[in-house]
Amino acid sequence: MCGIIGYVGNREAAPILIDCLKKLEYRGYDSAGITILNGNIDTYKTVGKIRELEKIIPEELKGNIGIGHTRWATHGIPSTVNSHPHNSGDISIVHNGIIENYLSIKEKLQQNGYEFLSDTDTEVIAHLLHSKLYGNVNNTKKTCDFFTALCSTLREVEGSYAVTAVCTSEPDLMLAARKDSPLIIGIGDGEYYAASDVTAFLNHTKEVVFVDDLDLVTIRPEGVEFFDLDGNVLEKENTTIEWDIEAAEKAGYEHFMLKEIHEQARSVNDTFSGKLSELDGSVNLEELNISNEEIRNIDRIEIIACGTSLNAGLVGKYLFENLAGIHTDVDIGSEFRYSSPIMNENVLSIAITQSGETADTLAAIRSCRSYGCNSIAITNVVGSSITRDANNVLYTHAGPEIGVAATKTFTAQLIMLYILAIRFARAKGTLDVNEAKDLLVNLKRIPGQIQKILNRKDTIRECAKMFAKESDYFFIGRHLNYPIALEGALKLKEISYIHAEGFAGGELKHGPLALIEDGTPVVAIATKGHVYEKILSNIKEIKAREATVIAVANADDTEIEKYVDWVLRIPATDELLSPVLSTVVLQLLAYYTALARGCSIDKPKNLAKSVTVE
């Protein structure tokens, strides 16, 4: 989504803002801009990349306070006039989110003489803030201070926002506020940052404060204070970010995505580290405030997610039902919020969101609270919005993921779902001690097995190059491998722009076979397990239509080569765990296909890393 950065300190703000904006490029954007406060409001913005913005910023631009923004269009086409910052008189603001009542506010402001230059909803905040500060369109005499004016403005707007604002009438002050859109304050040595993502300022400071909904922040050279919208002072605690700045760089890899695929051996290990005891077949989830009795009383689990996280949730459905015997439904966040779900206090809702800021998932989990449901959030970002909306939070430990296409965060989500399902199964007595021990032993082997796949990726690269010019790709799987087929297709279409679809193998005869023809590449996830013979039957159906079949299969499977054209191998493991390893193979297949096609891999067209508006 859009990226916000603000700086207050003793250094020149412009180069710092530009550096921070570059760290936010992965979020996706179509335009960028900055404002420097130096007695005047000096604003520079343009369509295109940040390098285009750099070209129009004069070298002599001075000032120690400034705000910046990368925009991903939601209201109004990508254009210079629609890009941020937006100004009104001596006020300049940047904003993430959507103001739902902007039209009615705009009409009132226009009647009072305010002229709108853009098609955005954001501009109403700038003009409304100006009207609150001065009482009219002219900068004549202030009716209140800047802080009070912003409080009044935010009470009037409806929707979501993360805002930073500056004003020449109070030249040592930056204001920041949030509601349903991420905002983090960075605490440096005599300097301060406000950003939508810690990655923006991580090479300047690791000390942060997470801004909560309806908080308002004053940032001055001498320090930062937090308030509610009534002006009451709030006490906040600093958090030290453990990520090293090198974790947000490519570290020698051609793309962030490839680097993050290679980091999965570590991120998987970090996610389960300290949680598994293969000696007694138990898992340790101290952060989970749900007793064994409460687990036994769960009638149903409702998993809510979007995109890649939704595919993780579909794997979770099989795990909770197979291991713990708990009926599990999986819903798309954007659909759940407009449905009429059957929920009660015996339904556990699980929200899965990498960023913790996915708007639809947040709205859905909030609605679950109205039914009295207990809830768990699985997220990768400490202090994100979902952590305050869910009753329980389970953190994956994947570290920052810069590439838009999720890789290491997906496998980390899978690992957390395995851990949680085992925890529930042990509490309910549906998984005995020896079965749990075996599963945990195999789970601990996964990082090493991922590394084996990475060490032997040349076959995957060769396969990807062979079919890189195809216009259609199909993926099939059965049981636990069905969600992985969906994820494989999603990864391929995201970054290579090839039309790709995933199907349950048994559904081929219900329509998809009509699309299979001579030479069509079909990826069949054919790992060993209780549906192995079934997937072989599906492969034979496909081969009868003269398609090309690429199988993902176990390293010790000597039969599969008789039925397919290519075999991409994974180390042998427990049937339940094989989806993690198959995922890595499909990520590499998508990556090398996109590489062969010359696509923009880390920042695919029309996509953003975190969808923080509906």
Side-chain angles (χ1 to χ4, degrees):
M1 250 358 256
C2 308
I4 280 179
I5 183 64
Y7 174 78
V8 176
N10 48 30
R11 293 189 285 167
E12 296 297 338
I16 294 173
L17 293 175
I18 292 296
D19 174 67
C20 293
L21 287 178
K22 288 179 178 178
K23 298 298 190 298
L24 295 174
E25 285 187 297
Y26 73 94
R27 294 169 67 92
Y29 69 105
D30 50 59
S31 56
I34 66 169
T35 287
I36 301 299
L37 188 62
N38 57 4
N40 297 302
I41 294 290
D42 286 338
T43 299
Y44 300 88
K45 55 185 184 177
T46 186
V47 173
K49 301 299 181 183
I50 292 171
R51 60 177 175 269
E52 301 302 320
L53 175 63
E54 289 182 279
K55 293 176 183 178
I56 65 173
I57 297 175
E59 292 184 7
E60 62 272 17
L61 182 62
K62 302 295 181 182
N64 306 123
I65 295 179
I67 56 178
H69 192 268
T70 53
R71 178 177 187 254
W72 193 70
T74 53
H75 285 74
I77 63 171
S79 67
T80 297
V81 72
N82 284 335
S83 60
H84 300 215
H86 287 282
N87 299 342
S88 183
D90 65 345
I91 291 171
S92 186
I93 73 156
V94 295
H95 162 240
N96 287 353
I98 292 178
I99 304 304
E100 295 173 356
N101 61 336
Y102 82 100
L103 283 175
S104 61
I105 296 174
K106 182 176 181 178
E107 290 174 0
K108 293 178 182 177
L109 290 168
Q110 286 175 322
Q111 292 171 3
N112 291 327
Y114 284 91
E115 180 182 357
F116 283 77
L117 303 178
S118 76
D119 299 318
T120 70
D121 57 329
T122 296
E123 195 177 0
V124 303
I125 302 176
H127 291 316
L128 184 60
L129 179 56
H130 184 277
S131 72
K132 299 292 185 182
L133 185 60
Y134 291 105
N136 57 61
V137 72
N138 301 311
N139 291 5
T140 52
K141 184 179 180 181
K142 291 168 63 175
T143 62
C144 61
D145 59 35
F146 195 29
F147 176 90
T148 302
L150 184 58
C151 287
S152 179
T153 296
L154 297 180
R155 289 193 195 98
E156 193 165 327
V157 299
E158 298 172 4
S160 60
Y161 58 78
V163 176
T164 59
V166 292
C167 177
T168 58
S169 68
E170 298 186 40
D172 66 341
L173 172 66
M174 176 188 296
L175 296 178
R178 69 154 283 178
K179 177 181 178 291
D180 299 331
S181 197
L183 190 66
I184 303 101
I185 305 300
I187 311 295
D189 184 9
E191 57 186 15
Y192 306 93
Y193 303 82
S196 46
D197 193 314
V198 295
T199 309
F201 53 71
L202 202 54
N203 61 341
H204 298 285
T205 181
K206 294 183 179 181
E207 292 297 312
V208 306
V209 179
F210 292 97
V211 183
D212 291 317
D213 273 354
L214 303 179
D215 284 358
L216 198 151
V217 190
T218 61
I219 309 172
R220 295 184 171 88
E222 59 268 24
V224 178
E225 289 186 286
F226 296 82
F227 303 86
D228 62 22
L229 291 185
D230 294 323
N232 299 310
V233 177
L234 302 172
E235 297 296 327
K236 298 285 184 177
E237 292 184 2
N238 289 15
T239 299
T240 301
I241 299 299
E242 301 297 337
W243 302 342
D244 193 287
I245 185 57
E246 293 181 2
E249 302 294 342
K250 293 180 184 176
Y253 291 95
E254 189 171 355
H255 295 94
F256 282 116
M257 182 179 178
L258 184 61
K259 171 179 175 282
E260 288 154 5
I261 290 172
H262 277 259
E263 289 174 339
Q264 288 178 109
R266 186 184 70 206
S267 60
V268 164
N269 185 77
D270 289 347
T271 296
F272 68 56
S273 180
K275 293 180 168 65
L276 311 183
S277 176
E278 64 272 36
L279 296 178
D280 60 8
S282 66
V283 299
N284 175 27
L285 288 174
E286 291 181 352
E287 61 271 47
L288 188 66
N289 188 29
I290 302 178
S291 68
N292 287 347
E293 182 178 356
E294 288 173 316
I295 293 171
R296 288 190 285 269
N297 288 332
I298 295 172
D299 291 334
R300 180 168 65 86
I301 293 173
E302 180 74 42
I303 297 178
I304 303 165
C306 300
T308 286
S309 296
L310 180 71
N311 294 334
L314 289 169
V315 174
K317 170 183 171 64
Y318 288 102
L319 296 177
F320 288 119
E321 292 182 346
N322 283 16
L323 294 176
I326 303 174
H327 175 75
T328 303
D329 293 321
V330 184
D331 274 301
I332 301 169
S334 57
E335 292 298 313
F336 181 87
R337 63 189 299 190
Y338 299 115
S339 65
S340 300
I342 309 302
M343 307 286 283
N344 57 54
E345 65 275 7
N346 292 326
V347 176
L348 172 68
S349 57
I350 300 177
I352 309 174
T353 162
Q354 179 277 138
S355 66
E357 304 291 350
T358 307
D360 293 315
T361 304
L362 285 170
I365 205 69
R366 287 165 185 163
S367 73
C368 289
R369 293 190 308 199
S370 65
Y371 296 96
C373 300
N374 204 349
S375 59
I376 300 172
I378 297 176
T379 186
N380 192 48
V381 182
V382 176
S384 56
S385 295
I386 197 73
T387 66
R388 292 180 289 280
D389 289 322
N391 302 113
N392 299 269
V393 181
L394 298 177
Y395 290 110
T396 56
H397 294 282
E401 187 175 67
I402 307 303
V404 166
T407 52
K408 63 178 181 175
T409 54
F410 175 71
T411 49
Q413 288 170 349
L414 292 183
I415 295 301
M416 187 55 72
L417 287 166
Y418 282 110
I419 295 171
L420 191 59
I422 295 169
R423 169 75 177 85
F424 282 12
R426 294 292 290 122
K428 289 176 66 68
T430 55
L431 187 70
D432 69 32
V433 172
N434 291 328
E435 290 173 324
K437 286 180 180 179
D438 290 342
L439 194 52
L440 294 178
V441 167
N442 284 313
L443 187 55
K444 282 197 168 184
R445 290 174 179 160
I446 290 293
Q449 292 173 325
I450 289 175
Q451 194 58 53
K452 287 181 179 180
I453 295 170
L454 297 172
N455 292 343
R456 301 169 186 170
K457 60 183 182 288
D458 288 345
T459 301
I460 302 172
R461 182 170 191 165
E462 183 182 353
C463 179
K465 290 171 65 177
M466 181 68 67
F467 302 103
K469 294 183 179 180
E470 298 292 334
S471 57
D472 299 283
Y473 240 102
F474 297 95
F475 294 73
I476 63 168
R478 303 195 74 137
H479 194 241
L480 276 163
N481 289 328
Y482 166 52
I484 304 307
L486 296 177
E487 176 63 12
L490 177 60
K491 282 294 152 287
L492 190 69
K493 72 178 73 172
E494 279 182 314
I495 63 170
S496 75
Y497 315 142
I498 293 174
H499 166 246
E501 294 189 56
F503 297 104
E507 286 295 293
L508 283 172
K509 293 187 287 292
H510 296 279
L513 273 179
L515 301 172
I516 306 299
E517 55 188 29
D518 187 7
T520 302
V522 179
V523 177
I525 306 169
T527 51
K528 286 293 184 70
H530 72 289
V531 293
Y532 178 72
E533 295 297 331
K534 296 296 183 181
I535 199 70
L536 285 185
S537 295
N538 298 141
I539 289 171
K540 292 171 185 176
E541 290 175 323
I542 294 166
K543 288 301 295 179
R545 275 75 181 174
E546 299 185 334
T548 300
V549 178
I550 304 162
V552 178
N554 291 68
D556 58 357
D557 185 347
T558 58
E559 291 292 309
I560 193 69
E561 291 176 340
K562 301 175 183 178
Y563 309 107
V564 303
D565 301 279
W566 283 78
V567 183
L568 306 178
R569 303 284 186 176
I570 67 167
T573 187
D574 188 287
E575 176 186 1
L576 286 178
L577 299 174
S578 65
V580 181
L581 303 179
S582 298
T583 293
V584 178
V585 171
L586 298 183
Q587 290 170 353
L588 288 167
L589 181 67
Y591 172 80
Y592 284 120
T593 300
L595 186 68
R597 291 168 65 90
C599 298
S600 177
I601 293 175
D602 287 331
K603 291 175 282 186
K605 64 184 180 183
N606 299 331
L607 299 180
K609 182 64 179 174
S610 177
V611 183
T612 57
V613 296
E614 184 178 3

